[in-house]
Coordinates of all heavy atoms in Angstrom, one line a residue:
M104 N -48.0 22.3 0.9 CA -47.5 22.2 2.2 C -48.7 21.9 3.2 O -49.7 22.5 3.1 CB -46.8 23.5 2.6 CG -45.5 23.3 3.2 SD -44.9 24.9 3.8 CE -43.5 25.0 2.8
S105 N -48.4 21.0 4.1 CA -49.5 20.7 5.1 C -49.0 21.2 6.5 O -47.9 21.3 6.8 CB -49.8 19.3 5.1 OG -48.7 18.5 5.6
D106 N -50.0 21.5 7.3 CA -49.7 21.9 8.7 C -49.8 20.7 9.6 O -50.9 20.2 9.8 CB -50.7 23.0 9.1 CG -50.4 23.5 10.4 OD1 -49.4 23.2 11.0 OD2 -51.3 24.3 11.0
A107 N -48.7 20.2 10.0 CA -48.7 19.0 10.9 C -48.7 19.3 12.4 O -48.4 18.5 13.2 CB -47.5 18.1 10.5
T108 N -48.9 20.5 12.7 CA -48.9 20.9 14.1 C -50.0 20.2 14.9 O -51.1 20.2 14.5 CB -49.0 22.4 14.2 OG1 -48.1 23.0 13.3 CG2 -48.7 22.9 15.6
N109 N -49.7 19.7 16.1 CA -50.6 19.1 17.0 C -51.3 17.9 16.4 O -52.5 17.6 16.8 CB -51.6 20.1 17.5 CG -51.0 21.2 18.3 OD1 -50.1 21.0 19.0 ND2 -51.5 22.4 18.2
T110 N -50.7 17.2 15.6 CA -51.3 16.0 15.0 C -50.9 14.7 15.8 O -51.6 13.7 15.7 CB -50.9 15.7 13.6 OG1 -49.5 15.6 13.5 CG2 -51.5 16.8 12.7
L111 N -49.9 14.8 16.6 CA -49.5 13.6 17.5 C -50.2 13.7 18.8 O -50.2 14.8 19.5 CB -48.0 13.6 17.6 CG -47.2 13.4 16.3 CD1 -45.7 13.4 16.7 CD2 -47.5 12.1 15.7
T112 N -50.7 12.6 19.2 CA -51.3 12.6 20.6 C -50.4 11.8 21.5 O -49.8 10.8 21.0 CB -52.7 12.0 20.5 OG1 -52.6 10.7 20.0 CG2 -53.7 12.8 19.8
P113 N -50.3 12.1 22.7 CA -49.4 11.3 23.6 C -50.0 9.9 23.8 O -51.2 9.7 23.7 CB -49.5 12.1 24.9 CG -50.7 13.0 24.8 CD -51.0 13.2 23.4
A114 N -49.1 9.0 24.0 CA -49.5 7.6 24.3 C -50.2 7.6 25.6 O -49.9 8.3 26.6 CB -48.2 6.7 24.4
P115 N -51.3 6.7 25.7 CA -52.0 6.6 27.0 C -51.1 6.1 28.1 O -50.2 5.2 27.8 CB -53.2 5.7 26.6 CG -52.7 5.0 25.4 CD -51.8 5.8 24.7
H116 N -51.3 6.5 29.3 CA -50.5 6.1 30.4 C -51.4 5.2 31.3 O -52.6 5.5 31.5 CB -50.0 7.3 31.2 CG -49.0 8.1 30.5 ND1 -47.7 7.7 30.3 CD2 -49.1 9.3 29.9 CE1 -47.1 8.6 29.6 NE2 -47.9 9.6 29.3
A117 N -50.8 4.2 31.9 CA -51.5 3.3 32.8 C -51.7 4.1 34.1 O -50.9 5.0 34.4 CB -50.7 2.1 33.1
P118 N -52.8 3.9 34.8 CA -53.0 4.6 36.1 C -51.8 4.3 37.0 O -51.1 3.3 36.9 CB -54.2 3.9 36.7 CG -54.9 3.3 35.5 CD -53.8 3.0 34.5
A119 N -51.5 5.3 37.9 CA -50.4 5.2 38.8 C -50.4 3.9 39.6 O -49.3 3.3 39.8 CB -50.4 6.4 39.8
E120 N -51.5 3.4 40.0 CA -51.5 2.2 40.8 C -51.1 1.0 40.0 O -50.6 0.0 40.6 CB -52.9 1.9 41.5 CG -54.1 1.8 40.5 CD -54.7 3.1 40.2 OE1 -54.3 4.2 40.6 OE2 -55.7 3.1 39.4
Q121 N -51.3 1.0 38.7 CA -50.8 -0.1 37.9 C -49.3 0.0 37.6 O -48.7 -1.0 37.3 CB -51.6 -0.1 36.5 CG -53.0 -0.6 36.7 CD -53.7 -0.6 35.3 OE1 -53.2 -0.1 34.3 NE2 -54.9 -1.1 35.3
Q122 N -48.8 1.2 37.6 CA -47.4 1.4 37.4 C -46.5 1.0 38.6 O -45.3 0.7 38.4 CB -47.1 2.9 37.0 CG -47.7 3.2 35.6 CD -47.4 4.7 35.3 OE1 -46.8 5.4 36.0 NE2 -47.8 5.1 34.1
A123 N -47.1 1.1 39.7 CA -46.3 0.8 41.0 C -45.9 -0.7 41.0 O -46.7 -1.5 40.6 CB -47.1 1.1 42.2
V124 N -44.7 -0.9 41.3 CA -44.2 -2.3 41.4 C -44.5 -2.8 42.9 O -44.2 -2.1 43.8 CB -42.7 -2.4 41.2 CG1 -42.1 -3.8 41.4 CG2 -42.4 -1.9 39.8
V125 N -45.1 -4.0 42.9 CA -45.5 -4.5 44.2 C -44.2 -5.3 44.8 O -43.6 -6.1 44.1 CB -46.6 -5.5 44.1 CG1 -47.0 -6.1 45.4 CG2 -47.9 -4.8 43.5
A126 N -43.9 -4.9 46.0 CA -42.7 -5.5 46.7 C -43.0 -7.0 46.8 O -44.1 -7.4 47.1 CB -42.4 -4.9 48.0
P127 N -41.9 -7.8 46.6 CA -42.1 -9.3 46.8 C -42.5 -9.6 48.2 O -41.9 -9.2 49.2 CB -40.8 -9.9 46.5 CG -39.9 -8.8 45.9 CD -40.6 -7.5 46.3
R128 N -43.7 -10.3 48.3 CA -44.1 -10.8 49.7 C -44.9 -12.0 49.5 O -45.5 -12.3 48.5 CB -44.9 -9.7 50.4 CG -46.1 -9.2 49.8 CD -46.7 -8.0 50.5 NE -48.0 -7.6 50.0 CZ -48.1 -6.7 49.1 NH1 -47.1 -6.1 48.6 NH2 -49.3 -6.4 48.6
V129 N -44.9 -12.8 50.6 CA -45.6 -14.1 50.6 C -46.7 -14.0 51.7 O -46.4 -13.7 52.8 CB -44.6 -15.2 51.0 CG1 -45.3 -16.6 51.1 CG2 -43.5 -15.3 50.0
H130 N -47.9 -14.3 51.2 CA -49.1 -14.3 52.2 C -49.3 -15.8 52.4 O -49.3 -16.6 51.5 CB -50.3 -13.7 51.5 CG -50.2 -12.2 51.3 ND1 -50.7 -11.3 52.1 CD2 -49.5 -11.6 50.3 CE1 -50.4 -10.1 51.6 NE2 -49.7 -10.2 50.5
T131 N -49.6 -16.2 53.7 CA -49.8 -17.6 54.0 C -51.3 -17.8 54.4 O -52.0 -16.8 54.6 CB -48.9 -18.0 55.2 OG1 -49.3 -17.2 56.3 CG2 -47.5 -17.8 54.9
R132 N -51.7 -19.0 54.4 CA -53.1 -19.4 54.7 C -53.5 -18.8 56.1 O -54.7 -18.5 56.2 CB -53.2 -20.9 54.7 CG -54.6 -21.4 54.9 CD -54.8 -22.9 54.8 NE -53.6 -23.6 55.0 CZ -53.5 -24.8 55.6 NH1 -54.6 -25.4 56.1 NH2 -52.4 -25.5 55.7
D133 N -52.6 -18.7 57.0 CA -53.0 -18.3 58.4 C -53.0 -16.7 58.5 O -53.1 -16.2 59.6 CB -52.2 -18.9 59.4 CG -50.7 -18.7 59.2 OD1 -50.3 -18.1 58.3 OD2 -49.9 -19.3 60.0
G134 N -52.8 -16.0 57.3 CA -52.9 -14.6 57.3 C -51.6 -13.8 57.5 O -51.5 -12.6 57.5
A135 N -50.5 -14.5 57.7 CA -49.2 -13.9 57.8 C -48.7 -13.3 56.5 O -49.0 -13.8 55.4 CB -48.1 -14.9 58.3
V136 N -48.0 -12.1 56.6 CA -47.5 -11.5 55.4 C -46.0 -11.5 55.6 O -45.5 -10.8 56.6 CB -48.0 -10.0 55.2 CG1 -47.3 -9.4 54.0 CG2 -49.5 -10.1 55.1
L137 N -45.2 -12.2 54.8 CA -43.8 -12.3 54.9 C -43.1 -11.5 53.7 O -43.4 -11.7 52.6 CB -43.4 -13.8 54.8 CG -44.3 -14.8 55.5 CD1 -43.8 -16.2 55.2 CD2 -44.3 -14.5 57.0
H138 N -42.3 -10.6 54.1 CA -41.6 -9.7 53.1 C -40.3 -10.4 52.7 O -39.4 -10.7 53.5 CB -41.4 -8.3 53.7 CG -42.6 -7.6 54.1 ND1 -43.3 -6.9 53.1 CD2 -43.3 -7.6 55.2 CE1 -44.4 -6.4 53.7 NE2 -44.5 -6.8 55.0
A139 N -40.2 -10.6 51.4 CA -39.0 -11.2 50.8 C -37.9 -10.3 50.6 O -38.1 -9.1 50.2 CB -39.4 -11.9 49.5
H140 N -36.7 -10.7 50.8 CA -35.5 -9.9 50.5 C -35.2 -10.0 49.1 O -35.4 -11.1 48.5 CB -34.3 -10.3 51.4 CG -34.4 -10.0 52.8 ND1 -33.6 -10.5 53.8 CD2 -35.3 -9.1 53.5 CE1 -33.9 -10.0 55.0 NE2 -34.9 -9.1 54.8
P141 N -34.6 -9.0 48.5 CA -34.2 -9.2 47.0 C -33.3 -10.4 46.8 O -32.4 -10.6 47.5 CB -33.4 -7.9 46.8 CG -33.9 -6.9 47.8 CD -34.2 -7.7 49.0
G142 N -33.7 -11.2 45.8 CA -32.9 -12.3 45.4 C -33.1 -13.6 46.2 O -32.6 -14.6 45.8
E143 N -33.9 -13.5 47.2 CA -34.1 -14.8 48.0 C -35.2 -15.6 47.5 O -36.2 -15.1 47.0 CB -34.2 -14.4 49.5 CG -35.5 -14.2 50.1 CD -35.5 -13.9 51.6 OE1 -34.5 -14.2 52.3 OE2 -36.5 -13.3 52.0
S144 N -35.1 -16.9 47.7 CA -36.1 -17.8 47.2 C -37.3 -17.7 48.2 O -37.2 -17.2 49.3 CB -35.6 -19.3 47.2 OG -35.4 -19.7 48.5
V145 N -38.4 -18.3 47.8 CA -39.6 -18.3 48.7 C -39.3 -19.2 49.9 O -39.7 -18.8 51.0 CB -40.8 -18.9 47.9 CG1 -42.0 -19.1 48.8 CG2 -41.2 -17.9 46.8
L146 N -38.5 -20.3 49.7 CA -38.2 -21.1 50.9 C -37.3 -20.3 51.9 O -37.5 -20.4 53.1 CB -37.4 -22.3 50.4 CG -36.9 -23.2 51.5 CD1 -38.0 -23.8 52.4 CD2 -36.0 -24.4 50.9
E147 N -36.4 -19.5 51.4 CA -35.5 -18.7 52.3 C -36.4 -17.7 53.0 O -36.2 -17.4 54.2 CB -34.4 -18.0 51.5 CG -33.4 -19.0 51.0 CD -32.5 -18.4 49.9 OE1 -32.9 -17.4 49.2 OE2 -31.4 -18.9 49.8
T148 N -37.4 -17.1 52.4 CA -38.3 -16.2 53.1 C -39.1 -16.9 54.1 O -39.2 -16.4 55.3 CB -39.3 -15.5 52.1 OG1 -38.5 -14.8 51.1 CG2 -40.2 -14.6 52.7
L149 N -39.6 -18.0 53.8 CA -40.4 -18.8 54.8 C -39.5 -19.2 56.0 O -40.0 -19.1 57.1 CB -41.0 -20.1 54.1 CG -42.1 -19.8 53.1 CD1 -42.3 -21.1 52.3 CD2 -43.4 -19.3 53.7
E150 N -38.3 -19.7 55.7 CA -37.4 -20.0 56.8 C -37.1 -18.9 57.7 O -37.0 -19.0 58.9 CB -36.1 -20.7 56.3 CG -36.4 -22.0 55.6 CD -35.1 -22.6 55.0 OE1 -34.3 -21.8 54.5 OE2 -35.0 -23.8 55.0
R151 N -36.9 -17.7 57.1 CA -36.5 -16.5 57.9 C -37.6 -16.1 58.9 O -37.3 -15.6 59.9 CB -36.2 -15.4 56.9 CG -35.4 -14.2 57.5 CD -34.8 -13.3 56.5 NE -35.6 -13.1 55.3 CZ -36.6 -12.2 55.2 NH1 -37.0 -11.5 56.3 NH2 -37.3 -12.1 54.1
Y152 N -38.8 -16.5 58.5 CA -40.0 -16.1 59.4 C -40.4 -17.3 60.3 O -41.4 -17.3 60.9 CB -41.2 -15.7 58.5 CG -41.1 -14.3 58.1 CD1 -40.4 -13.9 56.9 CD2 -41.6 -13.2 58.9 CE1 -40.4 -12.6 56.5 CE2 -41.6 -11.9 58.4 CZ -40.9 -11.6 57.3 OH -40.8 -10.3 56.8
G153 N -39.6 -18.4 60.3 CA -39.8 -19.5 61.2 C -40.7 -20.6 60.6 O -41.1 -21.5 61.4
H154 N -41.0 -20.6 59.4 CA -41.8 -21.7 58.8 C -40.9 -22.8 58.5 O -39.8 -22.7 58.0 CB -42.5 -21.2 57.5 CG -43.6 -20.2 57.7 ND1 -44.9 -20.6 57.7 CD2 -43.6 -18.9 58.0 CE1 -45.7 -19.6 58.0 NE2 -44.9 -18.5 58.1
H155 N -41.4 -24.0 58.7 CA -40.7 -25.3 58.4 C -41.3 -25.9 57.2 O -42.4 -26.4 57.3 CB -40.6 -26.2 59.6 CG -40.0 -25.5 60.8 ND1 -38.6 -25.4 60.9 CD2 -40.5 -25.0 61.9 CE1 -38.4 -24.7 62.1 NE2 -39.5 -24.5 62.7
V156 N -40.6 -26.0 56.1 CA -41.1 -26.6 54.9 C -40.2 -27.8 54.6 O -39.0 -27.7 54.6 CB -41.0 -25.6 53.7 CG1 -41.5 -26.2 52.4 CG2 -41.8 -24.3 54.0
E157 N -40.8 -28.9 54.2 CA -40.1 -30.1 53.8 C -39.4 -29.8 52.5 O -40.0 -29.3 51.6 CB -41.1 -31.3 53.6 CG -40.4 -32.5 53.2 CD -39.5 -33.1 54.2 OE1 -39.8 -33.0 55.4 OE2 -38.4 -33.7 53.8
F158 N -38.1 -30.1 52.4 CA -37.3 -29.9 51.2 C -36.1 -30.9 51.3 O -35.8 -31.4 52.3 CB -36.8 -28.5 51.0 CG -35.8 -28.1 52.0 CD1 -34.4 -28.2 51.7 CD2 -36.1 -27.6 53.2 CE1 -33.4 -27.9 52.5 CE2 -35.1 -27.2 54.1 CZ -33.8 -27.4 53.8
Q159 N -35.5 -31.1 50.1 CA -34.4 -32.0 50.1 C -33.2 -31.4 49.3 O -32.1 -31.6 49.6 CB -34.7 -33.4 49.4 CG -35.7 -34.2 50.2 CD -35.2 -34.6 51.5 OE1 -34.1 -35.0 51.6 NE2 -36.0 -34.5 52.5
C160 N -33.5 -30.6 48.3 CA -32.5 -30.2 47.3 C -32.2 -28.7 47.2 O -31.1 -28.3 46.9 CB -32.8 -30.7 45.9 SG -34.2 -29.9 45.2
R161 N -33.1 -27.8 47.4 CA -33.0 -26.4 47.2 C -32.7 -26.0 45.8 O -32.2 -24.9 45.5 CB -31.9 -25.8 48.1 CG -32.3 -25.7 49.6 CD -31.3 -24.9 50.4 NE -31.7 -25.0 51.8 CZ -32.4 -24.0 52.4 NH1 -32.8 -23.0 51.7 NH2 -32.7 -24.1 53.7
S162 N -33.0 -26.8 44.8 CA -32.7 -26.5 43.4 C -33.8 -27.0 42.5 O -33.6 -26.9 41.3 CB -31.3 -27.1 43.0 OG -31.4 -28.5 43.1
G163 N -34.9 -27.4 43.0 CA -36.0 -27.9 42.1 C -35.8 -29.2 41.5 O -36.5 -29.6 40.5
Y164 N -34.9 -30.0 42.1 CA -34.6 -31.3 41.5 C -35.6 -32.4 42.0 O -36.0 -33.2 41.2 CB -33.2 -31.7 41.9 CG -32.8 -33.1 41.4 CD1 -32.4 -33.3 40.1 CD2 -32.7 -34.2 42.3 CE1 -32.1 -34.5 39.6 CE2 -32.4 -35.4 41.8 CZ -32.0 -35.6 40.5 OH -31.7 -36.8 40.0
C165 N -36.0 -32.3 43.3 CA -36.7 -33.5 43.9 C -38.2 -33.2 44.0 O -39.0 -34.2 43.9 CB -36.2 -33.8 45.3 SG -36.5 -32.5 46.5
G166 N -38.7 -32.0 44.1 CA -40.1 -31.7 44.3 C -40.7 -31.9 45.7 O -41.9 -31.8 45.9
A167 N -39.8 -32.2 46.7 CA -40.3 -32.4 48.0 C -41.0 -31.2 48.6 O -41.9 -31.4 49.5 CB -39.2 -32.9 48.9
C168 N -40.7 -30.0 48.2 CA -41.3 -28.8 48.7 C -42.5 -28.3 48.0 O -43.0 -27.3 48.3 CB -40.2 -27.7 48.8 SG -39.7 -27.1 47.1
R169 N -43.0 -29.1 47.0 CA -44.1 -28.7 46.2 C -45.2 -28.1 47.1 O -45.7 -28.8 48.1 CB -44.6 -29.9 45.4 CG -45.7 -29.5 44.4 CD -46.0 -30.7 43.5 NE -44.9 -31.0 42.6 CZ -44.1 -32.1 42.6 NH1 -44.3 -33.0 43.5 NH2 -43.2 -32.2 41.8
T170 N -45.7 -26.9 46.8 CA -46.7 -26.2 47.6 C -47.8 -25.6 46.7 O -47.5 -25.0 45.7 CB -46.0 -25.1 48.4 OG1 -45.0 -25.7 49.2 CG2 -46.9 -24.3 49.3
P171 N -49.0 -25.6 47.2 CA -50.1 -25.0 46.4 C -49.9 -23.5 46.3 O -49.7 -22.8 47.4 CB -51.4 -25.3 47.2 CG -51.0 -26.6 47.9 CD -49.6 -26.4 48.3
L172 N -49.9 -22.9 45.1 CA -49.8 -21.5 44.9 C -51.3 -21.0 44.6 O -51.8 -21.2 43.6 CB -48.9 -21.2 43.7 CG -48.7 -19.8 43.3 CD1 -48.1 -18.9 44.4 CD2 -47.9 -19.7 42.0
M173 N -51.8 -20.3 45.6 CA -53.2 -19.9 45.6 C -53.5 -18.7 44.7 O -54.5 -18.5 44.1 CB -53.8 -19.8 47.0 CG -53.7 -21.0 47.8 SD -54.0 -20.8 49.5 CE -55.6 -20.1 49.5
A174 N -52.5 -17.8 44.7 CA -52.6 -16.5 44.0 C -51.2 -16.0 43.7 O -50.3 -16.2 44.4 CB -53.4 -15.5 44.8
G175 N -51.1 -15.2 42.6 CA -49.8 -14.6 42.2 C -49.0 -15.4 41.3 O -49.4 -16.5 40.9
K176 N -47.8 -14.9 41.0 CA -46.8 -15.6 40.1 C -45.5 -15.7 40.8 O -45.1 -14.9 41.6 CB -46.7 -14.7 38.9 CG -47.8 -14.7 38.0 CD -47.5 -13.9 36.7 CE -48.6 -13.9 35.7 NZ -48.2 -13.2 34.5
V177 N -44.8 -16.8 40.4 CA -43.4 -16.9 40.8 C -42.5 -17.1 39.6 O -43.0 -17.3 38.5 CB -43.2 -18.2 41.7 CG1 -44.0 -18.1 43.0 CG2 -43.6 -19.5 41.0
H178 N -41.2 -16.8 39.8 CA -40.2 -16.9 38.7 C -39.2 -17.9 39.1 O -38.7 -18.0 40.3 CB -39.6 -15.5 38.5 CG -38.3 -15.6 37.7 ND1 -38.4 -15.8 36.3 CD2 -37.0 -15.5 38.0 CE1 -37.1 -15.8 35.9 NE2 -36.3 -15.6 36.9
Y179 N -38.8 -18.8 38.2 CA -37.7 -19.8 38.4 C -36.5 -19.3 37.6 O -36.5 -19.3 36.4 CB -38.2 -21.1 37.9 CG -39.3 -21.7 38.7 CD1 -40.6 -21.5 38.3 CD2 -39.1 -22.5 39.8 CE1 -41.7 -22.0 39.0 CE2 -40.1 -23.0 40.6 CZ -41.4 -22.8 40.2 OH -42.4 -23.3 40.9
P180 N -35.5 -18.9 38.3 CA -34.2 -18.4 37.6 C -33.7 -19.6 36.7 O -33.1 -19.3 35.7 CB -33.3 -18.1 38.7 CG -34.2 -17.7 39.9 CD -35.4 -18.6 39.7
A181 N -33.8 -20.8 37.2 CA -33.4 -22.0 36.4 C -34.6 -22.9 36.3 O -35.3 -23.1 37.3 CB -32.2 -22.6 37.0
V182 N -34.8 -23.5 35.2 CA -35.9 -24.4 35.1 C -35.8 -25.6 36.0 O -34.8 -26.3 36.0 CB -36.1 -24.9 33.6 CG1 -37.2 -25.9 33.4 CG2 -36.2 -23.7 32.6
P183 N -36.8 -25.8 36.9 CA -36.7 -27.0 37.8 C -36.8 -28.3 37.1 O -37.6 -28.4 36.1 CB -37.8 -26.7 38.8 CG -38.8 -25.9 38.1 CD -38.0 -25.1 37.1
L184 N -36.2 -29.3 37.6 CA -36.3 -30.7 37.0 C -37.6 -31.4 37.5 O -38.2 -32.2 36.8 CB -35.1 -31.5 37.3 CG -33.8 -31.1 36.6 CD1 -32.7 -31.9 37.0 CD2 -34.0 -31.0 35.1
A185 N -38.0 -31.0 38.7 CA -39.3 -31.6 39.2 C -40.5 -31.1 38.5 O -40.5 -29.9 38.1 CB -39.3 -31.3 40.7
F186 N -41.5 -31.9 38.4 CA -42.7 -31.4 37.7 C -43.4 -30.4 38.6 O -43.5 -30.6 39.8 CB -43.6 -32.7 37.5 CG -45.0 -32.3 37.0 CD1 -45.1 -31.9 35.6 CD2 -46.1 -32.3 37.8 CE1 -46.4 -31.6 35.1 CE2 -47.3 -31.9 37.3 CZ -47.5 -31.6 35.9
V187 N -43.9 -29.3 38.0 CA -44.7 -28.3 38.7 C -46.0 -28.1 37.9 O -46.0 -27.7 36.8 CB -43.9 -27.0 38.8 CG1 -44.7 -26.0 39.6 CG2 -42.6 -27.2 39.3
A188 N -47.1 -28.5 38.5 CA -48.4 -28.3 37.9 C -48.9 -26.9 38.0 O -48.4 -26.1 38.9 CB -49.4 -29.3 38.5
Q189 N -49.9 -26.6 37.2 CA -50.6 -25.3 37.4 C -51.2 -25.2 38.8 O -51.7 -26.1 39.3 CB -51.8 -25.3 36.4 CG -52.5 -24.0 36.3 CD -51.8 -22.9 35.5 OE1 -50.9 -23.3 34.7 NE2 -52.2 -21.7 35.7
G190 N -50.9 -24.1 39.4 CA -51.4 -23.9 40.8 C -50.5 -24.4 41.9 O -50.9 -24.5 43.0
E191 N -49.2 -24.7 41.5 CA -48.2 -25.2 42.4 C -47.0 -24.4 42.2 O -46.8 -23.8 41.2 CB -47.9 -26.7 42.2 CG -49.0 -27.6 42.5 CD -48.5 -29.1 42.2 OE1 -47.6 -29.3 41.4 OE2 -49.1 -29.9 42.9
C192 N -46.1 -24.5 43.2 CA -44.7 -23.9 43.1 C -43.8 -24.7 43.9 O -44.1 -25.5 44.7 CB -44.7 -22.4 43.5 SG -44.8 -22.1 45.3
L193 N -42.5 -24.5 43.6 CA -41.4 -25.2 44.3 C -40.7 -24.1 45.1 O -39.8 -23.4 44.6 CB -40.4 -25.9 43.4 CG -41.0 -27.0 42.6 CD1 -40.0 -27.5 41.6 CD2 -41.6 -28.1 43.4
P194 N -41.0 -23.8 46.4 CA -40.5 -22.7 47.1 C -38.9 -22.8 47.2 O -38.3 -21.7 47.3 CB -41.1 -22.9 48.5 CG -42.3 -23.7 48.3 CD -42.1 -24.6 47.2
C195 N -38.3 -23.9 47.1 CA -36.9 -24.0 47.2 C -36.1 -23.3 46.2 O -35.0 -22.8 46.4 CB -36.4 -25.5 47.3 SG -36.4 -26.3 45.6
C196 N -36.8 -23.1 45.0 CA -36.0 -22.5 43.9 C -36.8 -21.4 43.1 O -36.3 -20.9 42.1 CB -35.6 -23.6 42.9 SG -36.9 -24.4 42.1
C197 N -37.9 -21.0 43.6 CA -38.6 -19.9 42.9 C -38.6 -18.6 43.7 O -38.3 -18.6 44.9 CB -40.1 -20.3 42.7 SG -41.2 -20.4 44.1
K198 N -38.8 -17.5 43.1 CA -38.9 -16.2 43.7 C -40.2 -15.6 43.4 O -40.8 -15.8 42.3 CB -37.8 -15.3 43.1 CG -36.4 -15.9 43.3 CD -35.3 -15.1 42.7 CE -33.9 -15.8 42.7 NZ -33.5 -16.2 44.0
P199 N -40.8 -14.9 44.4 CA -42.1 -14.3 44.2 C -42.0 -13.1 43.2 O -41.0 -12.4 43.2 CB -42.5 -13.8 45.6 CG -41.2 -13.6 46.3 CD -40.3 -14.6 45.7
V200 N -43.0 -13.0 42.4 CA -43.2 -11.9 41.5 C -44.3 -11.0 42.1 O -45.4 -11.4 41.9 CB -43.5 -12.3 40.0 CG1 -43.7 -11.1 39.2 CG2 -42.4 -13.2 39.5
G201 N -43.9 -10.0 42.8 CA -44.9 -9.2 43.5 C -45.4 -10.0 44.7 O -44.7 -10.7 45.4
A202 N -46.7 -9.9 44.9 CA -47.3 -10.6 46.1 C -47.9 -12.0 45.6 O -48.5 -12.1 44.6 CB -48.4 -9.8 46.7
I203 N -47.6 -13.0 46.4 CA -48.1 -14.4 46.2 C -48.9 -14.9 47.4 O -48.6 -14.3 48.5 CB -47.0 -15.4 45.8 CG1 -46.0 -15.6 46.9 CG2 -46.4 -14.9 44.5 CD1 -45.1 -16.8 46.6
R204 N -49.7 -15.8 47.3 CA -50.4 -16.5 48.4 C -50.2 -18.0 48.3 O -50.5 -18.6 47.3 CB -51.9 -16.1 48.4 CG -52.6 -16.7 49.6 CD -54.1 -16.3 49.7 NE -54.2 -14.8 49.7 CZ -54.0 -14.1 50.8 NH1 -53.7 -14.7 52.0 NH2 -54.2 -12.8 50.8
L205 N -49.7 -18.5 49.4 CA -49.4 -20.0 49.4 C -50.4 -20.6 50.4 O -50.8 -20.0 51.4 CB -48.0 -20.2 49.9 CG -46.8 -19.7 49.1 CD1 -45.5 -20.0 49.7 CD2 -46.9 -20.3 47.7
D206 N -50.7 -21.9 50.1 CA -51.5 -22.7 51.0 C -50.6 -23.3 52.0 O -50.3 -24.5 51.9 CB -52.3 -23.7 50.2 CG -53.3 -24.4 51.1 OD1 -53.6 -24.0 52.3 OD2 -53.9 -25.4 50.7
I207 N -50.1 -22.5 52.9 CA -49.1 -23.0 53.9 C -49.4 -22.2 55.2 O -49.8 -21.1 55.2 CB -47.7 -22.8 53.4 CG1 -46.7 -23.6 54.2 CG2 -47.3 -21.3 53.3 CD1 -45.3 -23.6 53.6
Q208 N -49.1 -22.8 56.3 CA -49.2 -22.1 57.6 C -48.1 -22.5 58.5 O -47.4 -23.6 58.2 CB -50.6 -22.4 58.3 CG -50.8 -23.9 58.7 CD -52.2 -24.1 59.3 OE1 -53.1 -23.3 59.1 NE2 -52.4 -25.1 60.0
K209 N -47.8 -21.7 59.4 CA -46.7 -21.9 60.3 C -47.0 -23.1 61.2 O -48.1 -23.2 61.7 CB -46.4 -20.7 61.2 CG -45.0 -20.7 61.8 CD -44.8 -19.3 62.4 CE -43.4 -19.2 62.9 NZ -43.1 -17.9 63.4
N210 N -46.0 -24.0 61.3 CA -46.2 -25.2 62.2 C -45.2 -25.2 63.3 O -44.3 -24.5 63.4 CB -46.2 -26.5 61.4 CG -45.1 -26.6 60.4 OD1 -44.5 -25.6 60.1 ND2 -44.9 -27.7 59.8

């Protein structure tokens, strides 16, 4: 018979700051911080704060809204048809994952 008492060690935990979920927000080149509402696209967030972004389709079809994504990640609920290169996003149809930084300013 063996004594298996205290042979299991707890799994390591990530620090509290890594476990916290960062609220979706958009940082702009001019220093503005725009807080996204749940489920809204980056374009909808920008519009709500008075930013005017060129767009045609709101579904990722045309690519007219293509914007440099300087930091962070975005999620596309549906795969856009327009080409999106590394370091770019289509605000019309993507959602921020945590905090993102766009090369855009209010005009």
Side-chain angles (χ1 to χ4, degrees):
M104 226 187 242
S105 67
D106 182 9
T108 311
N109 294 326
T110 58
L111 296 178
T112 57
H116 294 286
E120 59 272 3
Q121 288 180 353
Q122 291 179 357
V124 175
V125 178
R128 61 185 184 269
V129 177
H130 296 259
T131 63
R132 182 173 27 140
D133 56 2
V136 179
L137 318 177
H138 297 275
H140 288 166
E143 90 181 338
S144 70
V145 172
L146 177 60
E147 291 166 334
T148 301
L149 291 167
E150 289 176 328
R151 195 164 39 78
Y152 281 89
H154 287 261
H155 299 285
V156 178
E157 179 65 35
F158 71 92
Q159 297 295 318
C160 67
R161 289 191 183 264
S162 62
Y164 180 76
C165 70
C168 66
R169 188 173 287 112
T170 301
L172 177 63
M173 299 167 60
K176 290 183 175 183
V177 298
H178 167 71
Y179 295 90
V182 178
L184 293 177
F186 175 75
V187 184
Q189 183 80 18
E191 294 180 334
C192 71
L193 299 175
C195 75
C196 62
C197 71
K198 298 175 188 313
V200 176
I203 64 170
R204 182 172 305 279
L205 298 178
D206 188 11
I207 194 170
Q208 64 185 19
K209 196 169 187 176
N210 43 348

